[in-house]
Amino acid sequence: MKTFKCDCEDHQILFFESNVCTACERVVGLDDSFDKVEPYDLDDVSGEYFKAAQPEIRYQKCDNHADYKTCTGMVNLNTFVPVEGETEVLCFACRFNETIPDLSIVEHIPLWKKMEVAKRRALYTLKAMKLPLETIAQNPKSGLSFDFTTDRDVSDHFASTLKNQDAVFTGHDCGHITINLAEADEVARSHTKLAMGEKYRTLLGHFRHELGHYYFDKLIAGSPDKHALCKQYFGDDEQPYKDALDKHYKNGAPDNWRDSFISEYATMHPFEDWAETWAHYMHIMDTLETAKNFSITGSTIDNAEDMEEVGELTLPQDAYFFSAQTSITSILDTWMDFAIILNSLNRSMGMGDAYPFVLTQPVRTKLAFIHHAIHNRLNRMPDLLSESENKK
């Protein structure tokens, strides 16, 4: 993720999550174009906001921004069209929400804010990649929506189940993504992480994983040719999902799972292999963008002069991301070099590795498939498969 700058005399750095400039104290946020964090001036007479360069276009804080400070969205009043029957004024990101947590329980609000931060970051990368992003209102058949709710008691870090409450499972169903609010609670998530024996479990990771399922339907499932090609890399996804799930939780992952999969959960079913690989691709691209923004090269190895540095990669924050596509080989080589720096920094702070994963050749090939699916260039995959087989 890149940083931004306020246009005040101090040119204060604005982060993606910023809602005010700490130098000039103006409101900052994301408008409906969802591509830039910038400052807004307040019209004291009308109570509306505007950008200094375009005073004729008026904005209002998203209701979730104004009432709960859970987002940083600004709504363009010149173009805003409310959904029929609704009175809320919601920003680009909040329009994807189908269900929000029970706000009569005040402890839910800060957890909801964490959910919104992760969701906005996930959506920002998708939009930068020009992937289709439509709400249910825009596309009732295949739009995207989110449910944020829980079946457990926040007062004991979601250890106790609530009475008369249906079970809430994080997952995806035909464009509808449910995230259990417990995932935003550090204690609850840590308990689950330890119980599941996971190396990595984050709120942002959940969003990216479930969005991976959504984009499988959008990019792959609707095309027989792409779907057939996908099976060559991820396996036959027509095998019964429930049987695979039961087998996974009974027997666990095979001992040699690291040879071909990014995680143990990815071994459960081809659908989960796709979603896990998709999430890692998004993690890699977002983190490399951050490194590029701060001019971190990532050169740590002896033959660094032969490696492409982070700053030389074409990434989603660049306007020419699609027209000047960087090879996925360069991206992954640079990433593995940079991950050494990332993990070393964490160790210097007494923390575990930020990226405790190994990208074997089969995993790299799957990441390449994700990359080319996003760029709509899957016709290149047979060549990549031949290359990887020749290296064996």
Side-chain angles (χ1 to χ4, degrees), residues 43-79:
D43 184 327
D44 293 325
V45 176
S46 67
E48 297 169 345
Y49 292 88
F50 60 93
K51 301 175 187 178
Q54 298 174 300
E56 71 281 2
I57 301 177
R58 294 305 171 113
Y59 293 84
Q60 175 181 323
K61 285 185 178 180
C62 171
D63 284 352
N64 293 334
H65 184 179
D67 298 340
Y68 302 104
K69 295 182 173 60
T70 54
C71 84
T72 58
M74 303 295 289
V75 181
N76 185 332
L77 297 177
N78 295 53
T79 59

Side-chain angles (χ1 to χ4, degrees), residues 136-313:
I136 293 293
Q138 293 170 315
N139 188 339
K141 292 184 65 177
S142 62
L144 175 66
S145 64
F146 294 95
D147 265 357
F148 302 145
T149 185
T150 190
D151 55 352
R152 294 181 173 270
D153 191 342
V154 66
S155 66
D156 63 1
H157 296 289
F158 300 93
S160 303
T161 57
L162 297 171
K163 294 180 179 179
N164 303 317
Q165 174 67 51
D166 293 336
V168 175
F169 298 103
T170 294
H172 167 265
D173 182 20
C174 299
H176 194 68
I177 292 174
T178 300
I179 308 284
N180 195 312
L181 190 63
E183 293 295 343
D185 182 89
E186 299 290 343
V187 174
R189 191 172 65 255
S190 294
H191 283 168
T192 304
K193 178 181 176 180
L194 290 172
M196 300 291 287
E198 296 174 333
K199 293 182 178 180
Y200 180 90
R201 188 184 183 95
T202 67
L203 193 51
L204 180 57
H206 277 301
F207 276 96
R208 287 177 169 159
H209 176 99
E210 301 306 335
L211 282 162
H213 287 301
Y214 175 69
Y215 282 103
F216 178 87
D217 291 346
K218 299 288 281 188
L219 301 180
I220 303 298
S223 167
D225 290 342
K226 291 179 180 179
H227 197 178
L229 184 62
C230 185
K231 290 178 181 180
Q232 294 183 34
Y233 298 89
F234 292 90
D236 183 7
D237 52 61
E238 294 183 15
Q239 60 179 286
Y241 184 87
K242 177 138 188 344
D243 291 349
L245 182 69
D246 293 342
K247 180 180 178 181
H248 177 78
Y249 283 114
K250 180 181 179 181
N251 302 325
D255 292 339
N256 63 343
W257 67 266
R258 293 175 182 82
D259 294 344
S260 302
F261 298 90
I262 192 66
S263 70
E264 292 183 69
Y265 191 63
T267 69
M268 194 267 281
H269 189 276
F271 284 156
E272 300 306 336
D273 193 10
W274 164 277
E276 285 285 272
T277 307
W278 176 279
H280 275 259
Y281 178 82
M282 294 298 163
H283 290 330
I284 289 168
M285 298 300 278
D286 192 3
T287 307
L288 286 177
E289 282 190 331
T290 304
K292 181 174 182 176
N293 179 77
F294 288 102
S295 301
I296 303 174
T297 66
S299 298
T300 65
I301 56 179
D302 293 338
N303 62 335
E305 64 274 8
D306 298 327
M307 297 289 291
E308 190 160 8
E309 295 185 350
V310 175
E312 297 171 347
L313 301 178

Side-chain angles (χ1 to χ4, degrees), residues 114-142:
K114 292 181 180 180
M115 304 275 273
E116 291 294 336
V117 169
K119 183 191 76 179
R120 289 198 308 280
R121 182 174 282 264
L123 292 179
Y124 183 91
T125 303
L126 297 173
K127 196 169 188 300
M129 291 182 174
K130 296 180 173 60
L131 286 162
L133 269 176
E134 296 176 299
T135 65
I136 293 293
Q138 293 170 315
N139 188 339
K141 292 184 65 177
S142 62

